[in-house]
Amino acid sequence: MDYLAWQDDLNTGIQVIDDQHKRIVFMINLLIRTQEPGHSRDEVGNVLNELVDYTLSHFAFEESLMEEAGYEFTRPHKHVHKIFIARVKDFSLRFKAGEDITQELIGLLSRWLFNHIRNDDSNYVQSVKDNMNVLVSDKQAGGWFSRSIKKFFN
Ligand SMILES: [Fe+2]
């Protein structure tokens, strides 16, 4: 199975978001690697848990950036995240029940993520960027960024 490659048009130009998206791609690639010979089911389970965990934190962080910016489509964007999380949790349950869902899940993750970044995330970029300067200037101890990173990624 081919590894996922980052593509330049996936860059939003918001460094913290691009870094998180790249990390998700890296973790999908870890999952792909577990499909090569010599990897146990436990390993798949561990990568899966970490991937779900990290993605949840990323969504929460992204949602608070949108809210903070007063982005007008925050609600529908959060809804898209929610539906996706439900789908992934369903895969998780099937995996725990002993089903081999990894290939199918990798397919969903790769398609969904790139599509979501290109179509949904790209829409909030302007409004979040406009608000960035305000947040970055919040430099007192525990400024908005460090507070949020701590809160969502502890
Ligand atoms: Fe998103």
Side-chain angles (χ1 to χ4, degrees):
M1 191 174 232
D2 286 342
Y3 287 103
L4 267 192
W6 186 258
Q7 290 153 31
D8 281 344
D9 73 320
L10 294 166
N11 287 316
T12 62
I14 303 168
Q15 180 87 48
V16 63
I17 291 293
D18 292 337
D19 289 347
Q20 291 173 10
H21 285 158
K22 284 176 185 165
R23 186 164 167 91
I24 295 175
V25 169
F26 174 79
M27 292 173 102
I28 296 174
N29 284 331
L30 289 180
L31 195 60
I32 293 175
R33 199 174 66 187
T34 65
Q35 299 306 286
E36 292 166 2
H39 295 271
S40 67
R41 194 180 151 79
D42 275 0
E43 237 176 294
V44 179
N46 289 340
V47 176
L48 203 58
N49 284 343
E50 273 181 48
L51 179 61
V52 170
D53 237 49
Y54 187 80
T55 304
L56 288 178
S57 300
H58 163 67
F59 282 172
F61 178 77
E62 201 180 65
E63 287 169 8
S64 90
L65 261 187
M66 286 187 271
E67 262 159 12
E68 195 68 29
Y71 173 57
E72 62 176 323
F73 299 117
T74 302
R75 266 173 70 100
H77 198 128
K78 282 171 91 164
H79 189 66
V80 170
H81 285 170
K82 210 174 143 191
I83 289 175
F84 178 70
I85 290 166
R87 286 176 77 185
V88 172
K89 283 195 171 155
D90 192 54
F91 272 98
S92 253
L93 287 177
R94 284 168 58 198
F95 177 79
K96 281 180 191 138
E99 222 182 300
D100 186 10
I101 47 83
T102 319
Q103 300 281 344
E104 199 187 330
L105 177 61
I106 290 168
L108 167 75
L109 290 173
S110 344
R111 279 191 316 272
W112 188 90
L113 181 68
F114 283 8
N115 190 45
H116 180 68
I117 295 175
R118 287 192 175 110
N119 297 305
D120 299 324
D121 289 347
S122 65
N123 282 329
Y124 69 60
V125 169
Q126 199 51 56
S127 118
V128 165
K129 266 187 183 163
D130 290 346
N131 191 47
M132 277 315 237
N133 298 331
V134 182
L135 297 178
V136 168
S137 69
D138 179 10
K139 279 214 179 73
Q140 72 266 47
W144 189 91
F145 271 98
S146 41
R147 275 201 312 274
S148 300
I149 297 275
K150 256 186 227 139
K151 181 168 157 202
F152 298 119
F153 295 94
N154 61 359

